């Protein structure tokens, strides 16, 4: 059994947050027997025969041709009758389910005579993946066998049961919002009405995906998880060997047969793409590899190299778990503040500037090495320093500079460093050429090393300051070549910005005064000076390894610091 399927069924291992769920396992409501009996009579089959849930591939389809009230007449009457005669179908929240149908004139909300419609399939898919929201114990009603035609009573029973399950999910999901989050804009009854009216194929995810969080990123990722869970339930994608030779465009290799099918399943290669030679890395396959590389943060070159192989080898089940973990992270994030704000995604090595929560500026960054990670934090940028000096942290002096000094005693002089005999304000300047850098008793941590502004300064021409206990900041860099790398973990914890002058212009938000050219002129005089935005700009350093971008593309990044592995282990114990 797939790992995500196990997680989805391990209901007895966790209670529900925000409610007393003492019954172990997935609950079986009294309506289960009623619904199953109705389906057996309608379809003339035993439960489970040729059955299973409808394929989730249809979760994004538009509901074909709305059924007129007259065509729904028998089902409406069946809904009205079952609400009165079978109160067990309304469990556990009859106070929500009954008014829902009364308000809509007893019209079915999620079904046709063939079973669940596109909206109903989407609702059921969300219920089946409630574990991704941190919920356990949601009872999901059975669906009729594929190809069955439901009579009015079976259809009404299925519709009511799905509404009851959705009400139960909504009742439990809304309390999952963090304490600081705004209250849900609608109570559960209104939420159900909104969900029943939403277009399941709309570009922007609807209320169904916003019960836990209003954040667009959460809603997009929650809907994206359904698609990947559907792939898992359909068997996932073929295994691609994580180890193997580099395969370049025009090469032939047996592994490309699995690569081709793997990319077809994940949507990177068109399903109608036909290759006479499936072991050839032809132009169509190279383009698909490039699409895959782009959305996995890899070097886009169409080559099946070491890192591309490693990403291709990750199974669909692991991607679903990764998405679920990042849903938890997004759920707990405060919403973007009004005005200007900045978010650095450490795992994605990218910076985004926003205006009222809407992306307005993007650039690449370089973050900390695995053994010197950039910390996750929240603060506010309140100062920009032009032509900064750099006082070397003691850890960098010991780990990085001392080995260089032992190879080249002139290194400090060549790179405009001043050495002070201590950290006090009145510490004496020392001549670095008189210091024995090979001495066993040398305590370089006791020396203060300060680099003057200039082209060789490690901080570049500008740094961006914000209060934090880690003493990290954002800054430019003279080492521009590293931005060409797909994995950019080269700093000692601070964040290097690819486009510092454009970023500075965004922060200052005074186009009449501060432009990239204005900053260049100020920097050209060589003087160290501080400038301040009119208002401090909130900044968040976060760690996201999975998200769905605005155009619906699923994005994944490598777990550079191993946080996913540790947090998934903890998360698995609460599912």
């Amino acid at each position: 059994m797939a790992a995500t399927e196990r997680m989805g069924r391990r209901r007895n291992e966790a209670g529900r947050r925000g409610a007393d769920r003492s019954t172990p396992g997935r609950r079986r409501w009294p309506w289960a027997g009623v619904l199953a009996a109705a389906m057996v009579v309608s379809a003339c089959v035993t439960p489970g025969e040729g059955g299973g849930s409808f394929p989730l591939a249809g979760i994004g389809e538009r509901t074909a041709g709305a059924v007129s009230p007259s065509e729904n007449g028998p089902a409406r009457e069946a809904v009205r009758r079952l609400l009165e005669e079978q109160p067990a179908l309304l469990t556990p929240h009859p106070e929500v389910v009954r008014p829902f149908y009364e308000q809509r004139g007893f019209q079915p909300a999620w079904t046709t005579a063939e079973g669940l419609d596109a909206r109903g399939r989407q609702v059921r898919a969300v219920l089946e993946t409630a574990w991704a929201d941190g919920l356990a114990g949601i009872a999901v009603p059975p669906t009729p066998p594929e190809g069955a035609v439901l009579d009015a009573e079976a259809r009404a029973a299925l519709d009511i049961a799905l509404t009851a399950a959705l009400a139960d999910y909504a009742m439990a999901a809304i309390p999952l919002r963090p304490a600081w989050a705004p209250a849900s804009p609608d109570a559960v009854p209104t939420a159900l009405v909104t969900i029943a009216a939403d277009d399941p194929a709309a570009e922007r995810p609807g209320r169904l995906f916003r019960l836990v969080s209003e954040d667009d990123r959460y809603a997009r990722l929650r809907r994206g998880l359904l698609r990947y869970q559907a792939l898992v339930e359909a068997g996932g994608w073929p295994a691609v060997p994580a180890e193997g030779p580099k395969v370049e465009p025009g090469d032939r290799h047996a592994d490309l047969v699995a690569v081709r099918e793997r990319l077809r399943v994940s949507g990177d290669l068109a399903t109608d793409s036909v290759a006479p030679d499936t072991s050839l890395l032809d132009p169509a396959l190279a383009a698909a590899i490039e699409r895959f590389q782009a959305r996995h943060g890899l070097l886009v070159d169409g080559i099946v190299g070491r890192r591309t192989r490693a990403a291709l080898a990750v199974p669909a089940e692991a991607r679903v778990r990764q998405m679920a973990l990042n849903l938890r992270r997004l759920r707990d994030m405060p919403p973007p503040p009004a005005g200007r704000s900045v978010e650095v995604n450490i795992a994605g090595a990218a910076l985004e500037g926003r205006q009222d929560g809407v992306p307005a500026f993007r650039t690449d960054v370089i973050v900390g090495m695995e053994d010197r990670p950039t910390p996750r934090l929240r603060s506010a940028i309140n100062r920009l320093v032009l032509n900064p000096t750099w006082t070397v942290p003691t850890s960098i002096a010991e780990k990085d500079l001392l080995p260089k000094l032992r190879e080249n005693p002139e290194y400090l002089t060549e790179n405009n460093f001043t050495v002070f005999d201590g950290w006090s304000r009145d510490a004496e300047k020392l001549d670095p050429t008189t210091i024995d850098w090979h001495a066993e008793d040398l305590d370089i941590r006791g020396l203060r090393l300060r680099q003057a502004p200039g082209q060789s300064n490690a901080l570049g021409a500008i740094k961006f300051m914000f209060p934090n206990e880690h003493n990290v900041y954002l800054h430019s860099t003279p080492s521009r070549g590293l931005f060409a790398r797909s994995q950019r973990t080269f700093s000692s914890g601070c964040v290097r910005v690819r486009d510092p002058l454009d970023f500075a212009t965004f922060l200052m938000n005074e186009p009449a005064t501060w432009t990239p050219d204005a900053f260049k002129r100020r920097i050209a005089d060589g003087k160290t000076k501080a400038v301040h935005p009119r208002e401090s700009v909130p900044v968040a350093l976060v760690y996201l390894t999975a998200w769905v971008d605005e155009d619906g593309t699923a994005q994944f990044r490598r777990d550079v610091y191993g946080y996913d592995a540790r947090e998934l282990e903890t998360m698995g114990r609460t599912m």
Side-chain angles (χ1 to χ4, degrees), residues 161-379:
L162 190 65
T163 301
L166 178 58
D168 188 37
Y169 169 77
M171 284 285 192
I174 290 174
L176 288 177
R177 292 167 174 252
W180 44 259
S184 174
D186 46 20
V188 171
T190 307
L192 264 62
V193 172
T194 305
I195 292 168
D198 280 343
D199 178 0
E203 182 177 344
R204 188 171 186 261
R207 171 58 54 197
L208 179 62
F209 301 101
R210 299 174 186 277
L211 295 173
V212 173
S213 172
E214 289 293 323
D215 185 75
D216 277 347
R217 290 189 296 178
Y218 185 97
R220 291 197 301 264
L221 184 57
R222 185 64 176 87
R223 185 168 65 178
L225 183 142
L226 297 189
R227 300 189 184 104
Y228 273 74
Q229 179 65 20
L231 295 179
V232 170
E233 293 178 359
W237 46 63
V240 174
E243 302 291 335
K246 178 189 290 187
V247 186
E248 301 189 16
D251 290 349
R252 286 183 170 82
H253 195 276
D255 288 351
L256 293 179
V257 177
V259 169
R260 187 179 297 275
E261 184 59 23
R262 188 254 182 264
L263 294 175
R264 195 189 311 274
V265 171
S266 61
D268 298 287
L269 179 64
T271 55
D272 59 356
S273 175
V274 178
D277 185 350
T278 57
S279 63
L280 172 67
L281 208 169
D282 57 24
L285 182 56
I289 291 169
E290 289 179 358
R291 282 190 287 272
F292 176 87
Q293 290 169 330
R295 67 185 190 87
H296 287 76
L298 301 167
L299 179 64
V300 178
D301 57 8
I303 296 172
V304 182
R306 178 173 59 86
R307 287 181 177 164
T308 297
R309 274 185 175 274
L312 287 166
V314 176
E317 295 91 339
R319 291 304 187 197
V320 171
R321 291 195 300 273
Q322 186 178 356
M323 294 170 99
L325 173 62
N326 284 275
L327 276 173
R328 304 289 179 94
R329 290 170 177 160
L330 287 170
R331 182 187 72 191
D332 294 335
M333 285 185 188
R340 303 233 149 172
S341 63
V342 174
E343 181 178 278
V344 174
N345 182 8
I346 300 165
L351 180 152
E352 185 173 273
R354 299 172 182 157
Q355 177 65 42
D356 297 324
V358 178
F361 173 79
R362 287 191 174 105
T363 189
D364 294 332
V365 298
I366 292 169
V367 297
M369 294 177 277
E370 293 183 34
D371 60 342
R372 305 181 199 180
T374 297
R376 291 180 277 192
L377 60 82
R378 292 184 180 276
S379 186

